Amino acid sequence: MTGTARTVLTIAALTLREASRRKVLRALAALTLTLLVLSGWGFSRLAAESDFGSLTSGETRLVASQLLNLVMFGISLIAALGTAFLAGPTVSGESESGIALAMLARPVRRSAVLLGKWLGLVAFGSGFLVLAGLAQCLVVLVTVDYWPPQPVAALALLAAQTVVLLTLGLLLSTVISPMASGVVAVGLFGATWIAGVVGGVGAALGNEGVERVGAVSRMLLPTDGLWRGAMHAFQDPAALAQFGAEMAGFPFLSEAPLTATYLGWAALWVAMVWGLAAVSFRRKDL
Amino acid sequence: METTLGDAAARQAAADLVAGLPAAPAAWCTGLRKRYGKRVAVQDVSLQVGRGEVVGLLGPNGAGKTTVIKMLLGLVRPDAGEVMLLGRPATDPAARVRVGYLPELFRYQPWLTAAEVLALHDRLAGVGVPVAEQRECLALVGLAERAGDRLGGFSKGMQQRLGLAVALVARPEFVVLDEPTSALDPLGRADVRDIVLSLRERGVAVLLNSHLIGEVERVCDRVVILNSGRVAASGTLAELLGQREVHLHLTDLNPAAEERLAAVGLVERAGEWSTVALPADDPGTAIPDLVRDLVALGTRVHAVEPTRISLEERLLGILRDGAGEQR
């Protein structure tokens, strides 16, 4: 094993160990569990309502799709907060505290250290999303007997959304303080989501100018675009086709799947931001 | 074919030549410069730490000592200048494989145990030190009992001891200690002194930055004094402190006794007082031998006052001169 590969793996393992030993993991687990229990209760009520005959089976599936997307949004928000606040302190926090001094004086390349941290965070964020998302899908299956059409693609897109956000958090943490980088990353995440909703409303109203707000923000920070792709993979296509026109602009339904071009752009975006982070970290004086 | 043979011969000759050269210095830098915004932190600093040599870095707060150390280790990018570590350019991370470092700001992952921190640094260094040797390293700094405890509960002093173990764990050939005793009690300071001396015995070079001049005076072969980002003075302790001398109050001084005085070194007379410069390589026998011989020659010895300016006085003198020149 070459020195660089050894550094990358060592730092990735260290990052995972940090995440598992610090309180972040327990906080994430508690939040997720609360969300799962609450959503389980909500979905069982929904099942009870449809038993009483006030909802048709098509309506139930549409509502289940919306609710699943809503809860998944909650889970992706938890993942976003968790990884942004983990990614923030990695570089800037360790340089502020002095932990980085002894580590970077070892025969390691800074880009290898950054790649290790990134891989560790990606593994942690994606692992959390897949586990929590799968648990949520099972809760929905048990309570309202709904199983999303493309669960694997949906969870992969949610994981990709987390990767985008944590890469941004990593870049920010090479230039600004730990707390600020977490706050800015989460703030941008929220802002793009809202811009996406605004764009959706614009599309429903046929206003191109407003619609463009969503399109541009989806290019600048691909979190919202990926999130819409994930929603599309979670929701029932038949129900959407039946009721879709009435629900245009609704933020927890997505009309179209992602294009390969957009996925390519998201991958390129991650590579570019990571490259910027590496350059910024290399030039940083400790 | 001939050229190939010629090349091989030339390569062999070059290899022999290189093998015959003395080992490259542990650390060498020239023309180091660093500016933070408008403030010049380090200006044209050149220094060298030979193999197995203990060099002290002295200077007032803000003189640029820690910045120089960080530039040597690649933690701060110099604006100008060149650094070599153990014969390799410092821009190559591999130059730091055999370098140990205890930062002034010592902090290690609070969620790891002491043993895990050492294992981590061994992995990053890529040396592959056996666990038993890592434990010995912890024992050396007095943390053998705490190997399995997380650092979150460690006191400052214990963290600094751990930092020393981290600096020593990967079998270094060059150790940089930046204020290694700032959080230690007198016992810990004595331990650090012993560790530095044992490193020197094993041929490990040490660069020691310390405010405790007495500490530096006791363990260092050479001293580099920084002031306002520049090297104000450097040299061995004997060179920096000048020759030692002895004041003697003598009566009944005869020519034979005068000759005996002159045999030691330069003599200055002022009434009944004579000041004799002692040789730089005096192992400590010059004064008692001189007194014995003077008495044997019939001279009456009233007082013997060996004098040596301390490193502290010398340091203050250099810094005040520097301040005077700047005004």
Side-chain angles (χ1 to χ4, degrees), chain A residues 174-245:
Chain A
T174 62
V175 277
I176 51 179
S177 75
M179 206 33 138
S181 57
V183 170
V184 172
V186 173
L188 285 175
F189 168 78
T192 5
W193 181 74
I194 289 170
V197 173
V198 169
V201 170
L205 298 176
N207 183 328
E208 270 183 37
V210 176
E211 194 181 351
R212 208 166 293 135
V213 172
V216 169
S217 77
R218 274 197 282 281
M219 295 305 282
L220 290 180
L221 182 67
T223 47
D224 187 53
L226 292 169
W227 158 243
R228 278 167 184 279
M231 276 199 300
H232 191 268
F234 275 128
Q235 72 209 4
D236 185 46
L240 188 72
Q242 197 180 342
F243 301 98

Side-chain angles (χ1 to χ4, degrees), chain A residues 262-282:
Chain A
Y262 189 78
L263 284 177
W265 165 247
L268 185 68
W269 189 95
V270 168
M272 282 192 312
V273 171
W274 192 90
L276 275 180
V279 169
S280 159
F281 188 39
R282 238 174 70 108

Side-chain angles (χ1 to χ4, degrees), chain A residues 32-260:
Chain A
T32 313
L33 207 65
T34 313
L35 195 65
L36 286 176
V37 169
L38 280 176
S39 72
W41 181 61
F43 278 111
S44 66
R45 292 304 308 150
L46 180 69
E49 289 295 323
S50 61
D51 279 349
F52 292 132
S54 57
L55 286 173
T56 65
S57 71
E59 280 172 339
T60 308
R61 294 174 83 76
L62 184 66
V63 172
S65 292
Q66 289 172 18
L67 283 182
L68 180 61
N69 281 345
L70 181 66
V71 177
M72 283 300 177
F73 184 73
I75 287 179
S76 82
L77 196 64
I78 293 174
L81 285 169
T83 48
F85 280 100
L86 269 177
T90 45
V91 177
S92 53
E94 286 186 1
S95 358
E96 262 179 24
S97 69
I99 289 178
L101 288 176
M103 303 251 295
L104 295 179
R106 290 292 170 195
V108 295
R109 284 191 192 284
R110 290 196 186 179
S111 52
V113 171
L114 196 73
L115 185 60
K117 283 186 179 302
W118 184 81
L119 281 178
L121 288 170
V122 165
F124 180 76
S126 317
F128 165 78
L129 258 176
V130 168
L131 280 182
L134 207 60
Q136 182 59 49
C137 288
L138 289 174
V139 165
V140 175
L141 181 68
V142 170
T143 48
V144 290
D145 194 27
Y146 172 75
W147 186 247
Q150 296 166 287
V152 174
L155 290 175
L157 286 174
L158 276 188
Q161 184 203 357
T162 313
V163 170
V164 164
L165 198 64
L166 75 87
T167 311
L168 178 70
L170 212 56
L171 169 64
L172 290 171
S173 84
T174 62
V175 277
I176 51 179
S177 75
M179 206 33 138
S181 57
V183 170
V184 172
V186 173
L188 285 175
F189 168 78
T192 5
W193 181 74
I194 289 170
V197 173
V198 169
V201 170
L205 298 176
N207 183 328
E208 270 183 37
V210 176
E211 194 181 351
R212 208 166 293 135
V213 172
V216 169
S217 77
R218 274 197 282 281
M219 295 305 282
L220 290 180
L221 182 67
T223 47
D224 187 53
L226 292 169
W227 158 243
R228 278 167 184 279
M231 276 199 300
H232 191 268
F234 275 128
Q235 72 209 4
D236 185 46
L240 188 72
Q242 197 180 342
F243 301 98
E246 297 163 30
M247 307 298 289
F250 185 72
F252 293 105
L253 284 176
S254 172
E255 285 112 53
L258 284 187
T259 59

